[in-house]
Amino acid sequence: MHSLWLIPIFPLVGFLINGMLGRRFSKTVINTVAVGSVVLSFLWVLKALSALAPLNETYVEHYFTWISSGTLDIGFDFAIDRLTMVMLLVVTGIGSLIHVYATGYMAHEGGYYRFFAYLNLFMFFMLTLVLAANYVLLFVGWEGVGLCSYLLIGFYFLKKSASDAGKKAFIVNRIGDFGFSLAMFLIVISFGTLDFQKVFAKASTISPEVQYGSITTICLLLLVGAIGKSAQIPLYVWLPDAMEGPTPVSALIHAATMVTAGVYMIARSATLFERAPIAMDVVAYIGLATAVMAATIGLVQNDIKKVYAYSTVSQLGYMFLGCGVGAFSAGIWHVVTHAFFKALLFLGAGSVIHACAGEQDMQKMGGLMKKIPITFAVLFIAAMAIAGVPPLSGHYSKDAILMAAHARAPWMYWVGVVTAGMTAFYVFRSIFLTFFGEYRGKAHPHESPAVMWVPLAVLAVLSLIGGYAFNIPEFLSPVLPMHGGVHDESLATIATAAGLAGILLAAICYLFVPSIPGALASAFAPIYQTLYDKYYVDELYNVSIVKPIANGSREILWKGADVGVFDALVNGAGTTSMALGGLLRKMQSGNLRTYASWVLIGILLVMGGFAVYGGAK
Amino acid sequence: MNMGDHLLSWILFTPLLGMVVVLAVPSSNKYLVRWVANLAALASFLVSLQLVLRFDTHAAGFQFVERASWIASLGVNYSIGVDGISYLLVILTTALTLLSVLASWSEVEERLPAYYAMLLLLETGILGVFLSLDFFLFYVFWEAVLVPMYFLIGIWGGERRLYAALKFFLYTMTGSVLMLIGILILYFAHANQFGVRTFEIADLMRVQLPIAAERTVFWLLFLGFAVKVPMFPFHTWLPDAHTEAPTAGSVMLAGVLLKMGTYGFLRISLPLLPNASQDWGIVCILAVLSLIAILYGALVSLMQKDWKKLVAYSSVSHMGFITLGIFSLNVKGLTGAVIQQINHGISTGLLFLLVGIIYERRHTREIAEFGGVAHRMPNYAVVFAIAMLSSAGLPLLNGFVGEFTILQGAFEVNPWWAALAVPGIVLGAAYLLWLYQRTMLGELTNEKNRQLLDLNLREWAVVLPLVAAAFWIGIYPKPLFEIVEKPVAQIMDRLHRTELHQKEVQP
């Protein structure tokens, strides 16, 4: 036994300690508990991995039976294979860095202990999610991270917009869970178990060439869950709003880890998806559409966190595209590199916001390069990484996805390339608006303390070398099958060129000829406005779903049907018995003995009636 | 005190003894009355705990059976016993009664002895329903429950208490009269077929009715049970009764009284009327009514302005899951349903207790009157969050285990049943989170909420056991599954062995 359970238990204990006693603790104690517990689980991951290396086979630990009824037998079991290993390292590694950063970022916030308690609880659920050996336990983590996301988005619960955003995230995710739940029920019927190893073993006896209806249905239903969690069309609407949460939360939960759970789940179920070509196509189309749509919105946003939020949605779309075209390991590779550079972008943005006294509007920034040089340097690296500039991390994973897409259908590659161009444009737009030119705000920007910039520096190094150093597809090849795409130099060059073109265009628009963006915006005002207002999707959902449910429930179901029909019928019948009611009222003389005697008389009458009736028979 | 051979009678009548003692205490000494009532409820609970020590999970059939002739000429027996299904409900009943009595400490001031007497009488009545093995005895207890509940609502209730109490009384009375007719048909059929007059449920199982007659009896019993559950469209008494009842009344009503209906289906309808119960037409009607209850209850909850009414309507939705599980007629559905009965008692009981705590402080249940309460009552807000999540079926809390098992069972009969029920869970999250946001979160705007005090020691004592139970069942429900296994297998066996008109339920 390697006691895998310790990995999630450390942060759970941290949560319990800080959650129950944190109110009385000093910040030092809270920090030690919160950061210490996550670092401990990171170390335990390393220890388990070194003991288990090279991990060519899945290692499973059984703890106890959780749900058992009829054929259903679900255990609290953890399993670890190379895919889990990658996820564990990302979650605990990046998690540790962000915890450290947060001790600086949140230093002056109220509810300090509460924040770290939630953050630790999140780690517990996220680690449960990746360690789970069956779908239900994965679902436990899945729901748990959703809960923590709700709690942390709504951390500033005084603000209605924050608690609204938390609620929205939870409910939209639950809509996705609708699909996940049904998928599990169908898996039980099809395979008689929810255990990963057993399900995949049974599924792999079915040849991939055979169209297998219920596997396709299972995959499509799983996809519904993944769409909710990983913010894809049409359920992505919660993620941009989730930026109401503190920035470390955006970095950890809404960029690096939780939102990639959908990708992880699809990759985990690769054996099933490979036997469901229709579902694979849907994954790819949704991913591609989301990547494009979110990137276009990102082009025009002014709130720095909103830009990165839409960027996350867009990059998650890339990961889906990778999985959908069969390059699961490329998708996971992008999960890893994205965790590096997007966490860095968010934490860097947090450092900027911190420096500008809470300002998030890029129009009120500018010229920060000299004032916060470290932040500038790391953000610049992150921006180059996401733009796909070689040899930074993003370049490798994005290339792998685009190659696979080209092998599947060239047009997917081309759409992906254009999106890559847009990605480079919006991310450098944010860099130029923030760090170049003159400072347009009123605050007195200052560099963040070391506790904040050291984690940034570590992430910057990872963003620099993370792609070259970690060849995830090769590492995952025993678990996740390699895709058919071959590396093609000219295709790779085109993709890189698109990124560079995006950067150049951003430089022209925001450094050299600053009049262009304004002119374009007014020349194409309708398009600009549509993008700026995010295609009015929230408004559309509100009018077509939220309002009808609310009004329908209140006016038709409650006041109409419930009170108006069913209750009225009963009351109508009740009027006839008003005489009886009057009688009853008279009996209520208020004297207890009278009541008691009525009770007695009633029971005696019933019994007596029986005695007489039965006796006569 | 040797309870050896009469354990169930002790469990059944300890509350009644307690009631007599409470009534003997001079009503002027409120303090003493309260103490005596709490001790009586505690004694009842402790007596029932003997069951935990002595109940044999692996034995099939009823345990601790006691049988004595009561009205010999009619074949009425005092016949009681316990199996896994009733065992769980008995413990739930004694535990919730204890917590309800404790919760009433400072809420009720008027006619104290009578109030506590009614609660204890109610406990005996409900326990009697769960323990009876004789249909007549079952009916007597069934009716006996009605009376204390009627008075609890009618005397100690809210503003519209008389209306609510009367509605509750007439509604359930109508249902039980129809049920009585059904019982009598079975009784006389048995007398005709075997020449023996008996109300023993085990004996009545031998009765062979023509399928049409069996269906009629099924629907008669159904009306009695469905009103209690309550199933759509017989639910309209519930929002009024729940809302107007004092806290203890709501807790008992939602926590255990509603389970009398689902228990009736499990104990009476399925084993006694296996052909009608498996009639595909009937099964479909009941499944559809359950699904309507799930969705309709959730949607109506969503728009409630009254805190307590919202929780009340949510019960309609949650009970829909239980009836859906029962009429899935497979091991998973039934197991899930039995476990969910307990879970609903815990979650909804907790929610009503929490509403009561805030009502006692502010004397209003209008959601709009609140907001930002978490500032003044941080501990209360945490407990409320746990109750909410348990009710919303979050994994690692109790609700998930039951719901998942039920839905798996339903899915295996017809995937659409599960597909239509799951949105009820989505809506569950919606109405609960919205309630939480409107009451607990945000700025504290209403001046009247500025003086709110957080949970006191007694209130902690009331809510903590339920919180602990919610986590326990959510994380380690294995003992529950084991307890339920045998009785569910017995029901399944009974359903399968029915040769006449055997119709396997097919997806």
Side-chain angles (χ1 to χ4, degrees):
Chain A
M1 290 292 264
H2 297 279
S3 302
L4 296 181
W5 56 274
L6 276 173
I7 297 171
I9 287 296
F10 284 125
L12 181 67
V13 172
F15 157 73
L16 291 174
I17 295 176
N18 271 342
M20 286 179 178
L21 309 168
R23 233 177 293 179
R24 295 183 197 91
F25 285 165
S26 71
K27 284 194 175 159
T28 328
V29 180
I30 296 173
N31 291 346
T32 317
V33 171
V35 178
S37 64
V38 180
V39 172
L40 273 178
S41 73
F42 176 60
L43 293 175
W44 199 260
V45 167
L46 292 180
K47 182 188 167 296
L49 293 183
S50 64
L52 288 165
L55 206 62
N56 286 324
E57 289 194 345
T58 308
Y59 165 76
V60 185
E61 282 186 4
H62 299 280
Y63 303 114
F64 57 86
T65 302
W66 185 29
I67 296 175
S68 81
S69 168
T71 52
L72 208 60
D73 184 21
I74 297 154
F76 251 92
D77 304 330
F78 283 164
I80 194 165
D81 64 0
R82 289 192 171 196
L83 175 58
T84 308
M85 175 178 165
V86 170
M87 294 302 289
L88 281 178
L89 287 171
V90 170
V91 172
T92 54
I94 308 264
S96 303
L97 292 173
I98 294 177
H99 272 72
V100 172
Y101 174 96
T103 59
Y105 188 87
M106 300 297 289
H108 308 292
E109 299 280 352
Y112 192 77
Y113 77 99
R114 197 160 55 87
F115 176 82
F116 280 100
Y118 293 163
L119 217 53
N120 273 359
L121 185 64
F122 167 78
M123 293 299 288
F124 163 72
F125 281 118
M126 190 68 210
L127 291 166
T128 305
L129 191 159
V130 295
L131 278 166
N134 59 55
Y135 278 104
V136 191
L137 201 53
L138 190 153
F139 190 71
V140 171
W142 188 271
E143 290 284 290
V145 290
L147 166 70
C148 298
S149 167
Y150 162 78
L151 292 171
L152 284 162
I153 295 170
F155 180 72
Y156 302 116
F157 65 84
L158 290 181
K159 275 168 70 189
K160 180 149 189 311
S161 58
S163 62
D164 275 342
K167 189 178 68 188
K168 182 171 172 185
F170 197 85
I171 293 169
V172 172
N173 267 291
R174 278 246 150 164
I175 296 172
D177 297 344
F178 163 78
F180 197 156
S181 312
L182 292 180
M184 287 194 282
F185 302 144
L186 190 53
I187 290 174
V188 171
I189 289 191
S190 311
F191 300 103
T193 173
L194 282 159
D195 195 274
F196 288 140
Q197 284 190 303
K198 290 180 194 152
V199 170
F200 301 146
K202 283 193 184 167
S204 50
T205 57
I206 304 163
S207 130
E209 284 75 35
V210 182
Q211 281 274 353
Y212 194 62
S214 70
I215 292 195
T216 303
T217 316
I218 289 171
C219 290
L220 287 173
L221 288 168
L222 285 176
L223 176 62
V224 174
I227 284 172
K229 193 60 79 193
S230 294
Q232 299 293 291
I233 291 175
L235 297 180
Y236 67 93
V237 287
W238 65 271
L239 184 57
D241 288 23
M243 298 301 133
E244 289 283 346
T247 305
V249 172
S250 313
L252 178 63
I253 302 184
H254 304 119
T257 56
M258 181 187 86
V259 288
T260 62
V263 185
Y264 167 75
M265 190 252 269
I266 290 177
R268 174 57 73 204
S269 315
T271 319
L272 297 178
F273 275 90
E274 279 170 341
R275 284 158 183 82
I278 299 173
M280 291 282 276
D281 281 347
V282 178
V283 175
Y285 296 148
I286 285 180
L288 199 59
T290 309
V292 179
M293 182 270 322
T296 54
I297 296 176
L299 294 174
V300 297
Q301 298 303 311
N302 287 327
D303 181 320
I304 188 166
K305 281 184 77 180
K306 280 270 154 84
V307 174
Y308 297 157
Y310 280 102
S311 162
T312 304
V313 175
S314 173
Q315 296 298 308
L316 288 164
Y318 267 110
M319 300 171 203
F320 270 61
L321 173 64
C323 292
V325 297
F328 297 98
S329 52
I332 294 294
W333 202 1
H334 205 54
V335 167
V336 176
T337 60
H338 178 259
F340 299 152
F341 59 68
K342 189 54 67 63
L344 183 50
L345 279 175
F346 269 114
L347 294 184
S351 182
V352 170
I353 295 165
H354 202 253
C356 298
E359 185 57 68
Q360 294 189 196
D361 188 345
M362 295 188 292
Q363 289 170 318
K364 295 179 184 145
M365 296 174 181
L368 296 174
M369 194 199 302
K370 290 198 193 71
K371 297 191 165 104
I372 45 175
I374 303 172
T375 305
F376 166 68
V378 295
L379 265 183
F380 197 80
I381 292 171
M384 288 209 296
I386 191 177
V389 176
L392 279 75
S393 58
H395 171 75
Y396 293 90
S397 50
K398 196 177 284 185
D399 250 19
I401 290 173
L402 289 175
M403 293 302 137
H406 190 272
R408 173 74 184 76
W411 68 268
M412 287 186 175
Y413 163 84
W414 288 108
V415 177
V417 165
V418 173
T419 310
M422 287 195 277
T423 308
F425 177 86
Y426 67 65
V427 80
F428 271 89
R429 169 175 173 266
S430 76
I431 297 288
F432 295 144
L433 279 175
T434 313
F435 292 102
F436 291 74
E438 292 299 314
Y439 181 57
R440 300 180 289 274
K442 293 190 184 70
H444 301 285
H446 52 279
E447 187 59 273
S448 301
V451 70
M452 283 168 71
W453 69 254
V454 170
L456 294 183
V458 177
L459 284 169
V461 173
L462 289 169
S463 302
L464 271 174
I465 63 161
Y468 177 77
F470 310 129
N471 190 336
I472 302 287
E474 199 180 293
F475 179 75
L476 288 180
S477 55
V479 212
L480 291 176
M482 296 288 273
H483 60 88
V486 221
H487 191 80
D488 183 307
E489 267 318 313
S490 55
L491 291 179
T493 316
I494 293 172
T496 309
L500 293 175
I503 299 174
L504 186 66
L505 211 57
I508 294 172
C509 291
Y510 294 95
L511 289 184
F512 307 125
V513 198
S515 57
I516 294 181
L520 281 176
S522 44
F524 299 98
I527 297 177
Y528 174 80
Q529 200 58 37
T530 309
L531 291 181
Y532 188 77
D533 290 328
K534 304 137 192 165
Y535 298 104
Y536 305 100
V537 172
D538 274 321
E539 288 77 3
L540 182 74
Y541 284 178
N542 210 17
V543 172
S544 64
I545 299 169
V546 180
K547 284 269 161 62
I549 288 185
N551 293 337
S553 301
R554 184 175 49 233
E555 302 301 332
I556 300 174
L557 289 184
W558 180 35
K559 292 187 177 160
D562 215 56
V563 177
V565 180
F566 302 118
D567 214 23
L569 280 177
V570 176
N571 285 347
T575 341
T576 351
S577 27
M578 272 317 279
L580 179 60
L583 194 66
L584 278 170
R585 253 197 301 283
K586 264 178 216 143
M587 288 187 260
Q588 264 170 251
S589 55
N591 186 329
L592 178 76
R593 275 190 209 93
T594 327
Y595 293 143
S597 34
W598 276 116
V599 175
L600 200 65
I601 290 172
I603 293 175
L604 285 178
L605 273 178
V606 175
M607 286 205 244
F610 260 85
V612 173
Y613 188 70
K617 178 92 184 163
Chain B
M1 192 156 52
N2 177 23
M3 302 174 184
D5 298 319
H6 296 288
L7 177 58
L8 295 187
S9 289
W10 275 103
I11 292 177
L12 186 51
F13 293 112
T14 307
L16 215 57
L17 280 177
M19 170 182 138
V20 173
V21 178
V22 168
L23 286 175
V25 176
S27 57
S28 52
N29 192 343
K30 287 185 175 177
Y31 190 71
L32 187 64
V33 173
R34 287 190 175 115
W35 265 108
V36 170
N38 276 278
L39 287 175
L42 179 66
S44 312
F45 176 65
L46 291 179
V47 171
S48 74
L49 279 190
Q50 292 234 359
L51 212 48
V52 178
L53 299 176
R54 293 175 49 194
F55 186 83
D56 181 0
T57 308
H58 304 289
F62 288 95
Q63 304 178 35
F64 308 102
V65 175
E66 293 176 36
R67 189 163 287 133
S69 181
W70 181 18
I71 311 174
S73 61
L74 295 177
V76 174
N77 287 337
Y78 170 77
S79 158
I80 54 177
V82 70
D83 71 348
I85 298 174
S86 42
Y87 165 45
L88 293 177
L89 287 167
V90 165
I91 303 291
L92 181 72
T93 307
T94 55
L96 277 184
T97 308
L98 174 58
L99 297 178
S100 300
V101 168
L102 186 57
S104 311
W105 191 280
S106 52
E107 186 195 343
V108 178
E109 291 290 339
E110 279 170 55
R111 307 186 209 194
L112 269 192
Y115 172 79
Y116 286 118
M118 286 301 155
L119 269 179
L120 291 165
L121 179 63
L122 183 69
E123 182 178 9
T124 289
I126 297 172
L127 287 172
V129 170
F130 294 145
L131 290 175
S132 296
L133 299 182
D134 180 285
F135 217 159
F136 186 82
L137 194 63
F138 178 88
Y139 185 75
V140 169
F141 280 120
W142 183 278
E143 290 296 303
V145 165
L146 213 55
V147 180
M149 200 65 225
Y150 170 75
F151 287 124
L152 278 174
I153 301 173
I155 298 179
W156 294 277
E159 277 164 27
R160 298 170 69 226
R161 57 180 178 269
L162 280 181
Y163 168 77
L166 192 61
K167 195 168 169 182
F168 165 77
F169 194 89
L170 292 179
Y171 230 124
T172 38
M173 195 66 192
T174 316
S176 26
V177 167
L178 296 169
M179 180 174 92
L180 180 63
I181 299 172
I183 297 175
L184 290 178
I185 293 177
L186 283 171
Y187 171 73
F188 288 118
H190 186 273
N192 277 337
Q193 288 175 15
F194 299 93
V196 182
R197 285 195 191 133
T198 178
F199 281 98
E200 283 283 338
I201 293 172
D203 292 334
L204 292 178
M205 280 194 205
R206 293 186 298 176
V207 173
Q208 299 281 345
L209 288 178
I211 184 70
E214 199 178 320
R215 278 200 207 111
T216 312
V217 176
F218 182 91
W219 285 120
L220 286 168
L221 295 182
F222 166 83
L223 286 169
F225 300 146
V227 166
K228 269 285 195 291
V229 171
M231 287 180 79
F232 177 90
F234 308 105
H235 64 278
T236 55
W237 63 268
L238 178 130
D240 290 311
H242 266 95
T243 314
E244 298 305 323
T247 302
S250 310
V251 173
M252 294 304 287
L253 201 54
V256 279
L257 226 110
L258 306 187
K259 276 74 190 185
M260 287 164 52
T262 47
Y263 180 77
F265 286 128
L266 290 164
R267 177 69 75 229
I268 313 278
S269 298
L270 300 192
L272 255 56
L273 309 163
N275 296 308
S277 302
Q278 291 180 93
D279 183 297
W280 185 236
I282 287 181
V283 167
C284 281
I285 292 173
L286 295 188
V288 167
L289 288 181
S290 306
L291 289 171
I292 294 178
I294 291 171
L295 296 175
Y296 179 94
L299 285 169
V300 176
S301 273
L302 200 57
M303 299 321 294
Q304 294 306 310
K305 298 185 179 97
D306 181 313
W307 195 332
K308 218 170 168 184
K309 222 168 197 164
L310 189 152
V311 181
Y313 272 109
S314 84
S315 270
V316 176
S317 181
H318 285 126
M319 293 305 288
F321 280 99
I322 299 178
T323 49
L324 182 68
I326 293 176
F327 287 96
S328 298
L329 300 176
N330 53 29
V331 176
K332 287 164 200 160
L334 289 169
T335 308
V338 175
I339 290 181
Q340 200 60 4
Q341 287 183 329
I342 308 303
N343 287 334
H344 178 259
I346 294 170
S347 318
T348 310
L350 190 53
L351 280 172
F352 275 122
L353 285 169
L354 289 166
V355 181
I357 287 172
I358 205 102
Y359 183 77
E360 210 183 308
R361 286 162 170 68
R362 285 279 281 103
H363 295 285
T364 178
R365 299 178 306 251
E366 279 287 314
I367 294 171
E369 284 277 317
F370 297 98
V373 170
H375 294 276
R376 292 293 306 159
M377 307 175 73
N379 294 329
Y380 177 89
V382 171
V383 177
F384 185 33
I386 294 171
M388 161 181 89
L389 296 170
S390 132
S391 182
L394 195 87
L396 298 193
L397 284 164
N398 56 345
F400 175 76
V401 176
E403 267 173 14
F404 185 84
T405 318
I406 287 174
L407 290 172
Q408 180 71 50
F411 190 92
E412 290 179 12
V413 180
N414 185 340
W416 286 105
W417 291 3
L420 288 169
V422 176
I425 301 181
V426 179
L427 290 167
Y431 61 72
L432 285 165
L433 289 185
W434 195 26
L435 169 68
Y436 196 79
Q437 183 187 27
R438 287 180 292 170
T439 53
M440 295 293 120
L441 306 181
E443 298 274 7
L444 199 146
T445 44
N446 191 336
E447 281 305 313
K448 290 178 199 152
N449 294 329
R450 220 162 274 288
Q451 301 308 319
L452 286 175
L453 293 177
D454 210 343
L455 297 176
N456 62 32
L457 205 61
R458 179 182 55 82
E459 287 161 344
W460 269 119
V462 171
V463 295
L464 263 191
L466 292 175
V467 170
F471 276 106
W472 170 54
I473 297 178
I475 295 168
Y476 193 67
K478 200 174 161 201
L480 257 66
F481 279 103
E482 280 171 357
I483 290 167
V484 175
E485 196 186 325
K486 279 273 159 14
V488 164
Q490 233 163 2
I491 295 177
M492 287 309 297
D493 194 41
R494 171 77 185 150
L495 292 177
H496 280 160
R497 256 192 300 169
T498 322
E499 300 294 333
L500 197 72
H501 283 272
Q502 183 162 22
K503 218 183 259 178
E504 272 297 323
V505 179
Q506 291 294 335

